[in-house]
Every structure is written in structure tokens, then in C-alpha cells.
Amino acid sequence: MADYHFKYKDVEGASTQWDDIQRKLGNLPPAPPPFKPAPFAPAEDEDSKPKDKAWIDEKTEEELEDLEDDLDDDRFLEDYRKKRLAEMREATKIAKFGSVIPISGSDFVREVSQAPQDIWVVVLLYKDGYPECRLLLQCLEDLAKRYPATKFVKIISTECIPNYPDRNLPTILVYSNSAVKATHVGIHSFGRRCTPESVALVLCQSDPVLNDAQGGEQSREAVLAGVRKKFVERVVREHEDDDDGSSSD
């Protein structure tokens, strides 16, 4: 038989006089706060945003091309649009790698000696099973992501140089224009603590080896200044972590 009982449901958050009395006596828990919808906030109109350099910087290459005829009244923004567009197009021309590429002895000439003249190549000589090689490889993998226009490769040491002594591992060779520009033998070449920042600092001591693919020719001083900044930030961060750890003890 059908249930014809009607169940009345009040507005959410509403309370009866009887409930109010019971709450004062402590027989009922406090009433939940009444429901309040979130205040209405209209979506931001793209055309209402202030048009400045930051507005240009947010645009993609395609969006900047579409703005070609929209900024004629603002010479400054139009010039800046053209500058950003040129930078983006230049950046796309730069070779990008982004990882440590494994190569064999037969690949060495093609991948390293015959690399384009504007590409720096960092070669890691290593062997599996050596903790020092694994640590340096982790640092190079980090740097390869940060500086994708620099080519990083790794090769088993004896495939590159027959009878190369294991005591010299890991070893890094830095190539440019088919020539070895620097050699770093052993993990201690990169300081007391081998980190991506300390490795970057050593690699850039003599030449602007690292390239972040942002476009434009970078001087050794500019690259080294950027690497030093990251190195200092790493040291400061580690000291802060050490201080936090000691204070918690």
C-alpha cells in the first residue's frame, strides 16, 4: 500500500521556537550557520586588462601575431610586441636537448666531434656500479633540463678511450668546435659537495658552456653570473634548512 504521509522539510538553517529553547537548555547542539551563497564575481573581461609589458609577456607567439594591427595607437607596446615576437622566434631556432643522451663509441664522432659550432657538448665518461658516477650523472641530468641548448652525453669510459683507468672516473670532457676545451677528472673536481650548482660553476669557469635556450649570445661573464647566483641561492637554502633542523632538536 502506498505511503501517503507528507514529510515537511523546512528551509535549510531554519529553526523552530521549541528548538531554540532546547538549545538554551543544552539539550540540542548549536544550530549550524545559515547558508550564504558566495558573492557574485563577474569573469574578468580580457579587454579590460591594462595593456602593458606584463600583458604582452603573457601572450603566446600566435596571440602576438594576431595583435599586429591592434596596437598601432601605442608605439611603445607595438615595438615591445615585435621585440618579444623576435625573441620567441629566435628561441625556436636554438637546438634543444634537455636530457643526458647515451652514446656508444661508434656514435662519438657524429654526436660530439661533428656537433654544430655553436653547440657546447658535455661528455661524461662513466661506468655502471660506481656511486660517484651515479651522483655526477644525476647532477648532469638536472643541468640538462635547465640548459637545454647545451648538449649532454654519457659514454662508457673504455668505449671512448680504450684502457681508461677506472680510478679517474667519473670524468667530464667539454667540447666545442670539435676540440676539447676542458677536462675534469674525478668527483672532487666539483667541490666538497657535488651538486648541480657546483658542477655548473666549474663548467663555466673558462667558457659559457651552459645555454638556457632563451635566445641571444651570452658572454662568459653573464652565464657565470647566473650560475653563481643559483649556487649562492643553493648554499643559503641549505644553511636555512640546517638551522631549521637544529632549532627543532
Side-chain angles (χ1 to χ4, degrees):
M1 187 174 180
D3 184 5
Y4 293 105
H5 289 90
F6 175 75
K7 295 181 181 180
Y8 174 76
K9 187 175 182 181
D10 206 343
V11 179
E12 184 178 357
S15 177
T16 65
Q17 187 177 12
W18 173 256
D19 289 340
D20 293 340
I21 294 172
Q22 294 302 311
R23 286 191 177 93
K24 287 181 180 180
L25 295 174
N27 297 330
L28 288 177
F35 171 75
K36 290 184 179 180
F40 174 72
E44 187 176 11
D45 185 6
E46 184 70 22
D47 294 332
S48 66
K49 289 184 178 181
K51 293 180 173 57
D52 52 16
K53 290 178 67 175
W55 179 74
I56 292 288
D57 290 337
E58 294 175 353
K59 302 296 183 183
T60 64
E61 182 177 347
E62 183 178 352
E63 288 172 337
L64 289 177
E65 290 174 347
D66 293 340
L67 289 173
E68 184 174 2
D69 299 324
D70 297 343
L71 301 176
D72 293 339
D73 296 336
D74 193 324
R75 182 63 180 272
F76 171 77
L77 278 185
E78 174 59 18
D79 290 344
Y80 188 67
R81 181 194 73 85
K82 291 178 179 179
K83 178 176 178 292
R84 285 288 298 134
L85 200 53
E87 290 172 348
M88 288 181 175
R89 289 169 176 169
E90 182 66 23
T92 59
K93 296 178 183 178
I94 300 175
K96 295 183 180 179
F97 304 99
S99 63
V100 180
I101 305 168
I103 64 172
S104 63
S106 59
D107 301 326
F108 193 89
V109 172
R110 181 183 71 254
E111 297 290 344
V112 179
S113 302
Q114 295 179 352
Q117 293 185 358
D118 59 341
I119 298 294
W120 285 90
V121 185
V122 177
V123 183
L124 171 65
L125 306 186
Y126 78 105
K127 276 188 176 178
D128 292 327
Y130 286 74
E132 296 86 354
C133 293
R134 184 167 60 251
L135 174 59
L136 185 53
L137 177 58
Q138 290 173 349
C139 293
L140 295 183
E141 287 173 340
D142 185 281
L143 293 177
K145 294 175 183 176
R146 295 191 206 175
Y147 303 97
T150 296
K151 188 174 186 179
F152 291 84
V153 302
K154 64 178 183 178
I155 181 172
I156 300 295
S157 56
T158 48
E159 288 193 27
C160 181
I161 305 173
N163 302 317
Y164 191 73
D166 290 348
R167 65 177 180 273
N168 290 345
L169 298 179
T171 294
I172 281 184
L173 309 176
V174 180
Y175 273 77
S176 179
N177 283 332
S178 304
V180 178
K181 298 296 183 180
T183 303
H184 307 288
V185 179
I187 196 75
H188 298 297
S189 301
F190 305 101
R192 185 171 57 88
R193 294 183 64 183
C194 184
T195 65
E197 290 77 16
S198 67
V199 174
L201 199 60
V202 172
L203 290 177
C204 292
Q205 286 294 337
S206 302
D207 297 287
V209 175
L210 300 178
N211 188 335
D212 59 7
Q214 295 303 309
E217 185 175 353
Q218 295 176 298
S219 65
R220 185 185 73 86
E221 291 75 16
V223 172
L224 193 55
V227 169
R228 280 174 177 160
K229 180 182 177 184
K230 288 184 173 63
F231 180 79
V232 171
E233 290 172 349
R234 170 81 178 234
V235 172
V236 170
R237 188 166 62 249
E238 289 179 348
H239 276 295
E240 290 175 346
D241 292 342
D242 291 341
D243 291 342
D244 292 342
S246 59
S247 62
S248 62
D249 295 339

